[in-house]
Amino acid sequence: LAVKDPTAVERANLLNMAKLSIKGLIESALSFGRTLDSDYPPLQQFFVVMEHCLKHGLKVRKSFLSYNKTIWGPLELVEKLYPEAEEIAASVRDLPGLKTPLGRARAWLRLALMQKKMADYLRCLIIQRDLLSEFYEYHALMMEEEGAVIVGLLVGLNVIDANLCVKGEDLDSQVGVIDFSVYLKSDDDIGGKERNVQIAAILDQKNYVEELNRQLNSTVSSLHARVDSLEKSNTKLIEELAIAKNNIIKLQEENHQLRSENTLILMKTQHHLEVSKVDVEAELQTYKHSRQGLDEMYSEARRQLREEAQLRQDMENELVVQVSMKHEIELAMKLLEKDIHEKQDTLIGLRQQLDEVKAINVEMYQKLQVSEDAMKEKNEIISRLEDKTNEINATMKQLEQRLQQAEKAQMEAEAEDEKLKQEYVNKSESLQNEFSQKEKQLLQLETDLKIEKEWRQTLEDDLQKEKETVSHLRTETQEIVTLKKEFLKLQEKNKQLKSTCEDQEAALQELASKLSESKLKIEDIKEANKALQGQVWLKDKEATHCKLCEKEFSLSKRKHHCRNCGEIFCNACSDNELPLPSSPKPVRVCDSCHAILIQRCSSNVP
């Protein structure tokens, strides 16, 4: 007995199981109803069989914790091979409950079945065997012919409509075990199934008839309701028609009355118009006389108004100019200091720019000299090339003349050949040899001509390149000329800036002299204040008597303290008062330093 390959046996068993599960699923779906739920047992068994088929011959991949062997890797490849599968892959990755790759693969199979594209997706995988070889062994079911057979069987599942809820289902922890009892059949089961099929067909017919009756009853009731509504609307329309006819009769009577009234009104208005025309003509004559005087008065008043308006505008303009001049003077004083600092910064920047411009000028002058030397060399090369082209043209003309002579000689030889063929048959061989030699010479001349033509084309290309370089150098020279002009403009601007800078420095010197004078005055004032600040206030306990009258302080004689000198006087002695704009009452002043006195509590009063 020949020993069978165990992998081949496994493939055959899995193929048979796939056939049985797909066949049973289609038959049960057609008898039960074409839309299936996730709890349907044949559908669950189909997914288990498909898992086993996809797991067959999978390569073991090492991970950090353990060896990994899942079908999610090859199924992820479908996204790259078949663009329509991107939606399924994205939705599987976004599902919240899935944690393992096996759970993702199960969700992917369910979504593919609902889309009716499982066969198309797996067919794309089987075609790309070089990519599948990364995940499967060479003897795997997906790498052999059995895989193609299973893909063909999956096309039959497009008849079924599956309505599966993948979101709430626990796909990670499901145990994939094939239930073989479903596929084992007995004689009693076969007879019972036939009866069940007949009963199911009868029940389906009954349900269909009942649904038809319900639909017909609903249509009849809707038609009755429509008839009632139409009758009601018809009666309403008849009533409205009668009312409308009555309204039309009344309106016609009113129309006749209004027309008669209209004729009477017309007669009256014509009479009034004739009377009013006479009155209007009289009024017009009086109005014309009065208007002449009013026009004269109006023109004089208008002229006076214009003169006054002009005077007012002039005054307002002068006022605005004076106010603006005042504001500008104030702003100019503030901005002068800022401008001085900014202009010093600009001066430093301009000096740096001047140095850079000088360096650029030196570089541009050097480039000009180099370009002029290059131009001279290229002009010499162009003259040499022109001489060469003239020589080539001359040689070309000579070769053309030789060709013409050879052609003429060939023609003459052919004519002589025709004449002497009859007479000199024996000499034909020698002439043929000569003719072949001449043909060889012709071929050589043609090849020489081709070579010379190619050489001429190359020389023309070189000439064009040289012309392009010359044009490029001309543009560069033009740019250098423009740069020179810009440099001259920059020099002029620099001179202007220097002159403005000198004016500003002179103004700064004047301001500095004025500032130094003001600083000296401020320092004098500060020294005077320091001399006065040396004196210290006396304490309340120590100051018991007035400094001028030497009387004791009491409730009637209150203390008054000087801010500068620190001396204390009574209210009787400090009679010197000065009026201030800020206070309503006059202020008491010290006799010695004339500073403002401050009232203090006496020693007896708290």
Side-chain angles (χ1 to χ4, degrees):
L1 290 168
V3 179
K4 288 186 178 180
D5 187 8
T7 55
V9 173
E10 287 173 6
R11 287 199 301 273
N13 291 333
L14 285 168
L15 179 61
N16 291 325
M17 283 307 302
K19 283 178 182 177
L20 285 168
S21 65
I22 291 163
K23 188 181 176 184
L25 181 60
I26 292 164
E27 286 175 357
S28 62
L30 291 169
S31 62
F32 176 70
R34 292 193 180 185
T35 54
L36 304 175
D37 296 329
S38 58
D39 297 330
Y40 192 57
L43 189 63
Q44 290 178 353
Q45 285 297 309
F46 165 71
F47 285 127
V48 171
V49 171
M50 281 305 297
E51 273 183 44
H52 280 281
C53 291
L54 289 166
K55 279 180 182 177
H56 184 260
L58 258 176
K59 286 182 179 177
V60 178
R61 289 196 167 189
K62 289 182 181 180
S63 65
F64 288 109
L65 300 171
S66 63
Y67 292 100
N68 194 6
K69 190 177 181 181
T70 58
I71 57 172
W72 176 239
L75 291 176
E76 261 190 319
L77 273 176
V78 179
E79 186 183 355
K80 296 174 183 175
L81 302 171
Y82 205 81
E84 291 180 12
E86 288 177 0
E87 291 180 8
I88 292 177
S91 57
V92 166
R93 288 191 194 99
D94 294 336
L95 281 169
L98 298 175
K99 295 176 182 177
T100 60
L102 184 61
R104 292 192 194 97
R106 285 169 179 168
W108 189 91
L109 288 169
R110 280 156 177 74
L111 290 169
L113 184 68
M114 280 196 280
Q115 276 192 343
K116 296 184 180 180
K117 287 186 178 179
M118 190 187 281
D120 297 332
Y121 295 156
L122 292 176
R123 184 169 56 79
C124 288
L125 263 179
I126 288 164
I127 290 163
Q128 301 290 331
R129 290 194 179 180
D130 54 344
L131 294 171
L132 274 177
S133 61
E134 294 178 5
F135 299 97
Y136 287 102
E137 300 288 345
Y138 68 95
H139 56 76
L141 185 136
M142 295 296 286
M143 298 289 285
E144 296 292 335
E145 292 178 358
E146 285 85 351
V149 174
I150 289 167
V151 171
L153 291 167
L154 288 170
V155 176
L157 293 175
N158 293 339
V159 179
I160 300 164
D161 293 326
N163 188 10
L164 309 174
C165 183
V166 183
K167 195 172 182 181
E169 201 170 352
D170 187 14
L171 298 171
D172 293 326
S173 60
Q174 282 183 2
V175 181
V177 179
I178 299 168
D179 188 8
F180 291 102
S181 63
V182 178
Y183 307 108
L184 298 169
K185 294 180 180 179
S186 62
D187 296 329
D188 297 328
D189 291 334
I190 292 159
K193 281 190 176 181
E194 286 175 357
R195 285 172 197 166
N196 288 328
V197 168
Q198 289 173 359
I199 291 159
I202 291 158
L203 287 167
D204 289 336
Q205 287 174 0
K206 187 189 173 187
N207 291 325
Y208 178 67
V209 170
E210 285 176 354
E211 284 177 2
L212 272 174
N213 283 325
R214 282 173 195 162
Q215 287 176 1
L216 288 166
N217 287 323
S218 64
T219 51
V220 166
S221 61
S222 64
L223 286 166
H224 279 302
R226 278 186 184 178
V227 166
D228 293 332
S229 64
L230 286 166
E231 284 176 354
K232 287 176 183 177
S233 62
N234 198 3
T235 53
K236 283 179 182 177
L237 287 166
I238 290 160
E239 289 172 358
E240 286 174 359
L241 235 172
I243 293 159
K245 282 179 180 178
N246 293 324
N247 288 326
I248 287 160
I249 291 158
K250 287 177 183 177
L251 288 165
Q252 283 176 353
E253 289 174 357
E254 286 177 1
N255 195 4
H256 285 300
Q257 288 177 2
L258 288 165
R259 279 181 180 175
S260 61
E261 287 174 2
N262 196 6
T263 51
L264 289 166
I265 290 160
L266 273 167
M267 294 289 286
K268 286 177 182 178
T269 50
Q270 283 176 359
H271 180 68
H272 281 298
L273 275 167
E274 287 173 358
V275 173
S276 61
K277 273 182 183 177
V278 175
D279 294 334
V280 165
E281 284 175 357
E283 284 176 358
L284 264 169
Q285 287 175 358
T286 54
Y287 176 72
K288 283 176 182 176
H289 289 299
S290 62
R291 191 176 177 182
Q292 288 176 356
L294 286 166
D295 286 336
E296 289 173 359
M297 290 283 286
Y298 179 72
S299 61
E300 285 176 4
R302 198 172 182 183
R303 184 173 55 74
Q304 287 175 359
L305 229 171
R306 282 178 183 171
E307 287 174 357
E308 286 176 0
Q310 282 178 356
L311 285 165
R312 190 178 178 183
Q313 281 180 356
D314 293 335
M315 292 295 287
E316 285 176 353
N317 290 328
E318 284 177 2
L319 245 172
V320 170
V321 168
Q322 284 176 359
V323 171
S324 64
M325 285 288 285
K326 193 177 180 182
H327 286 300
E328 283 174 2
I329 288 159
E330 289 174 357
L331 285 167
M333 288 298 288
K334 288 177 184 178
L335 291 168
L336 258 170
E337 293 177 0
K338 289 182 182 178
D339 287 334
I340 288 156
H341 294 297
E342 287 174 0
K343 281 166 183 175
Q344 283 176 353
D345 296 333
T346 51
L347 266 169
I348 292 157
L350 282 165
R351 281 168 187 166
Q352 290 175 356
Q353 285 177 3
L354 255 172
D355 296 331
E356 288 173 359
V357 168
K358 284 176 182 177
I360 290 159
N361 278 328
V362 172
E363 287 177 3
M364 293 303 293
Y365 183 71
Q366 289 173 357
K367 284 181 181 177
L368 246 175
Q369 285 180 347
V370 172
S371 62
E372 283 175 357
D373 296 332
M375 278 283 286
K376 286 176 183 176
E377 289 175 0
K378 282 171 183 176
N379 286 322
E380 289 173 0
I381 291 158
I382 288 158
S383 61
R384 288 174 192 168
L385 287 166
E386 284 175 354
D387 295 332
K388 284 181 183 178
T389 49
N390 292 324
E391 288 174 3
I392 288 156
N393 287 322
T395 51
M396 285 285 286
K397 285 176 183 177
Q398 287 175 4
L399 287 166
E400 283 173 0
Q401 286 173 2
R402 285 179 189 174
L403 251 175
Q404 287 174 1
Q405 287 173 4
E407 283 173 357
K408 284 177 184 178
Q410 191 179 354
M411 293 292 286
E412 288 172 0
E414 283 175 357
E416 286 174 0
D417 237 2
E418 286 173 0
K419 288 176 185 178
L420 296 167
K421 258 184 186 180
Q422 295 173 358
E423 295 174 0
Y424 303 102
V425 177
N426 296 326
K427 291 180 180 179
S428 61
E429 291 177 359
S430 62
L431 287 167
Q432 281 176 0
N433 293 325
E434 287 176 3
F435 186 70
S436 62
Q437 286 175 1
K438 284 177 180 179
E439 280 183 346
K440 286 176 183 177
Q441 287 175 359
L442 265 170
L443 288 166
Q444 285 177 357
L445 288 166
E446 284 175 356
T447 51
D448 293 334
L449 261 171
K450 284 177 182 177
I451 291 159
E452 284 173 356
K453 281 178 182 178
E454 288 173 358
W455 190 37
R456 189 176 183 182
Q457 283 178 353
T458 52
L459 286 167
E460 284 174 355
D461 293 333
D462 292 331
L463 263 170
Q464 285 178 353
K465 286 176 183 177
E466 290 295 329
K467 283 175 182 178
E468 286 174 358
T469 51
V470 167
S471 63
H472 182 67
L473 287 165
R474 281 173 184 169
T475 53
E476 282 183 354
T477 51
Q478 287 174 358
E479 287 174 359
I480 289 157
V481 170
T482 53
L483 282 166
K484 277 183 178 179
K485 288 176 182 177
E486 287 175 1
F487 177 67
L488 291 167
K489 287 177 183 177
L490 283 167
Q491 281 181 343
E492 289 174 359
K493 283 181 183 178
N494 192 9
K495 286 176 182 176
Q496 289 174 0
L497 286 165
K498 277 180 179 178
S499 61
T500 51
C501 188
E502 285 171 358
D503 295 334
Q504 286 167 2
E505 281 176 355
L508 273 168
Q509 285 175 359
E510 289 175 2
L511 282 166
S513 62
K514 287 178 182 178
L515 280 166
S516 62
E517 288 173 2
S518 61
K519 278 182 182 178
L520 288 166
K521 287 177 182 178
I522 288 158
E523 283 174 0
D524 294 335
I525 292 158
K526 281 180 181 177
E527 284 173 0
N529 282 329
K530 281 177 184 176
L532 291 169
Q533 281 172 5
Q535 294 174 356
V536 183
W537 284 29
L538 286 168
K539 292 180 181 179
D540 287 336
K541 289 178 181 179
E542 292 175 0
T544 54
H545 293 81
C546 177
K547 197 167 185 180
L548 288 172
C549 62
E550 294 182 355
K551 289 180 180 180
E552 200 173 334
F553 291 115
S554 63
L555 286 167
S556 60
K557 289 190 176 185
R558 291 185 299 279
K559 293 178 182 180
H560 288 275
H561 191 280
C562 182
R563 285 180 179 178
N564 284 333
C565 58
E567 291 178 357
I568 297 166
F569 304 97
C570 63
N571 55 354
C573 295
S574 57
D575 290 330
N576 293 328
E577 291 182 347
L578 282 171
L580 285 173
S582 58
S583 64
K585 293 179 180 180
V587 181
R588 291 180 184 276
V589 180
C590 180
D591 289 327
S592 58
C593 65
H594 299 287
I596 294 164
L597 295 172
I598 300 163
Q599 189 176 343
R600 294 175 69 182
C601 295
S602 65
S603 58
N604 300 322
V605 181

